[in-house]
Amino acid sequence: MSVVKINVLTVPSAQRETLEKRFASRAHAVENSDGFEWFELLRPVEGTDQYLVYTRWRDEASFQAWMEGPMKAAHQGGGAESGERPKPAASGSTLWSFEVVQQAAPKDA
């Protein structure tokens, strides 16, 4: 059964562009991970400052392997030549976890 992980990122309005650029610069970083099924970065439209980072995985083990491998390595990398890490664009983060129990896709026309 697939699992969905939603990282809820609280992002001040002044940091939105920074966050989106950082995700864009890492585009395709997750697609080759074993068990990866889907990714979406969802920008808030109104009433909240929380972005949702939606990923779907074949199983929990696939997600954990990515967390301990490629994701961990990407977040430990340094910034510019100074070796300093850039400041986080988000001021808070919460991870939600779900199992997919039902799904539907559009019927072919």
Side-chain angles (χ1 to χ4, degrees), residues 48-105:
T48 185
D49 59 356
Q50 295 180 319
Y51 276 72
L52 301 181
V53 183
Y54 173 100
T55 57
R56 182 173 167 148
W57 300 86
R58 175 181 58 228
D59 52 31
E60 182 67 26
S62 297
F63 172 73
Q64 291 301 326
W66 175 75
M67 286 285 291
E68 291 301 316
M71 195 284 296
K72 190 174 189 177
H75 283 83
Q76 288 177 343
E81 291 86 35
S82 66
E84 293 180 22
R85 291 182 66 200
K87 291 184 179 180
S91 62
S93 174
T94 302
L95 183 65
W96 296 343
S97 299
F98 300 89
E99 291 181 337
V100 177
V101 293
Q102 291 185 17
Q103 62 185 16

Side-chain angles (χ1 to χ4, degrees), residues 23-63:
F23 270 93
S25 73
R26 292 192 307 239
H28 311 296
V30 71
E31 284 93 333
N32 292 323
S33 297
D34 184 48
F36 170 78
E37 296 179 352
W38 198 259
F39 162 85
E40 290 178 323
L41 175 62
L42 306 176
R43 178 192 302 139
V45 176
E46 58 186 34
T48 185
D49 59 356
Q50 295 180 319
Y51 276 72
L52 301 181
V53 183
Y54 173 100
T55 57
R56 182 173 167 148
W57 300 86
R58 175 181 58 228
D59 52 31
E60 182 67 26
S62 297
F63 172 73

